[in-house]
Amino acid sequence: MRVHVVSDVHGNATDLARAGEGADALICLGDLVLFLDYADHARGIFPDLFGVENAVRLVELRTARRFEEAREFARGLWAGLDRDAVILGAVRRQYREIFDAFPTPTYATYGNVDVPALWPEYAKAGTTVLDGERIELGGLVFGFVGGGLRSPMRTPFEISDEQYAAKVEALGEVDVLCSHIPPDVPELTYDTVARRFERGSRALLDAIHRTRPRYSLFGHVHQPLVRRMRIGATECVNVGHFAATGRPWALEWRSPGAR
């Protein structure tokens, strides 16, 4: 059995259309939308609306952790525009292209920049959306937890630690723990380019210690200090920044009854 796993697609529909080749299924760990690319400031909803120069300025403020200044700067640019309507229209265009690129079967959960309310409009037959839910693939149980935790970035799908922990608890024991954000381990949450710690989940870390899944798979941190580490019996893997690499991470195992 072979599955390919991607995260942080951020608008890369071209490579996504090929991401399932040679696999029995594709797993997507969220962040389909591209609002602002920290590596290429010309890409995303923000520079499309306000230009590259303003995108560079916003990235500079955020990278310097001057979040209130960044919000004030952005508010000035949005003045006179219906922000919610403009963003929603741009997100819909991206979702249409991304969901059309998903192969069959795809199992997907939300990232912190996603808009879950829109997913039912675009998830076609063959794409299963899971959040706080489990599936069985080739004899292994996969559990999915979507979204991110509240942060100074104030991205669209950030929830409280308590809400997130409830979704983790609902999974019970699984073989593969799939989430958008990593467990709360410094080496896994530090982004070496953005030069900051992203939010990781203590509930995920506690579940790893308690239930000992074979794998913990996640994304969110685009340039992590460590991409892979072992916590007890669990192999923790950042599956990569798919928008930049265009390559899925592969998980292979021998399913029961296979020869």
Side-chain angles (χ1 to χ4, degrees):
M1 189 77 179
R2 179 184 177 98
V3 298
H4 288 174
V5 189
V6 301
S7 185
D8 301 271
V9 175
H10 293 302
N12 188 354
T14 301
D15 290 319
L16 185 64
R18 299 189 291 264
E21 292 178 359
D24 297 290
L26 179 74
I27 289 174
C28 179
L29 303 181
D31 270 11
L32 309 186
V33 174
L34 179 61
F35 185 75
L36 180 61
D37 192 326
Y38 279 61
D40 182 353
H41 302 150
R43 297 181 66 242
I45 295 171
F46 190 89
D48 285 349
L49 291 169
F50 302 117
V52 175
E53 185 175 328
N54 285 321
V56 170
R57 179 59 178 160
L58 186 63
V59 169
E60 288 174 346
L61 290 171
R62 287 181 173 181
T63 302
R65 301 179 182 84
R66 292 156 60 184
F67 296 112
E68 192 53 50
E69 287 183 61
R71 281 190 285 272
E72 187 63 32
F73 174 69
R75 275 194 291 268
L77 295 173
W78 283 106
L81 296 175
D82 186 339
R83 184 181 189 277
D84 290 343
V86 170
I87 290 179
L88 198 61
V91 170
R92 286 183 182 278
R93 288 191 292 274
Q94 290 191 14
Y95 274 168
R96 189 175 298 112
E97 186 176 12
I98 291 294
F99 277 94
D100 282 349
F102 277 140
T104 297
T106 290
Y107 302 93
T109 197
Y110 317 113
N112 61 293
V113 303
D114 284 312
V115 183
L118 295 181
W119 282 35
E121 296 182 33
Y122 298 99
K124 60 187 179 182
T127 298
T128 303
V129 181
L130 299 147
D131 188 17
E133 299 165 285
R134 302 149 47 111
I135 57 165
E136 184 271 331
L137 291 173
L140 296 185
V141 176
F142 289 70
F144 293 78
V145 185
L149 296 174
R150 288 173 183 159
S151 75
M153 304 297 287
R154 298 183 183 177
T155 50
F157 193 43
E158 295 181 353
I159 61 177
S160 70
D161 290 62
E162 293 76 19
Q163 289 171 299
Y164 196 92
K167 294 196 291 186
V168 175
E169 182 68 23
L171 297 179
E173 294 188 8
V174 298
D175 298 301
V176 186
L177 181 56
C178 300
S179 57
H180 177 67
I181 63 174
D184 189 15
V185 177
E187 294 89 340
L188 299 175
T189 59
Y190 186 73
D191 191 305
T192 59
V193 174
R195 302 196 301 277
R196 64 169 180 260
F197 289 97
E198 302 288 356
R199 287 295 312 273
S201 168
R202 181 71 199 186
L204 287 173
L205 183 59
D206 289 345
I208 288 168
H209 286 302
R210 185 177 68 254
T211 66
R212 298 162 60 87
R214 295 190 193 183
Y215 292 93
S216 169
L217 307 180
F218 48 87
H220 186 54
V221 184
H222 293 178
Q223 296 88 198
L225 188 64
V226 172
R227 293 196 176 274
R228 189 167 184 156
M229 69 183 295
R230 201 161 189 87
I231 300 176
T234 303
E235 191 72 17
C236 299
V237 182
N238 184 320
V239 301
H241 181 200
F242 185 78
T245 69
R247 297 190 302 273
W249 184 81
L251 175 63
E252 291 184 296
W253 70 98
R254 185 174 295 276
S255 57
R259 295 187 176 182

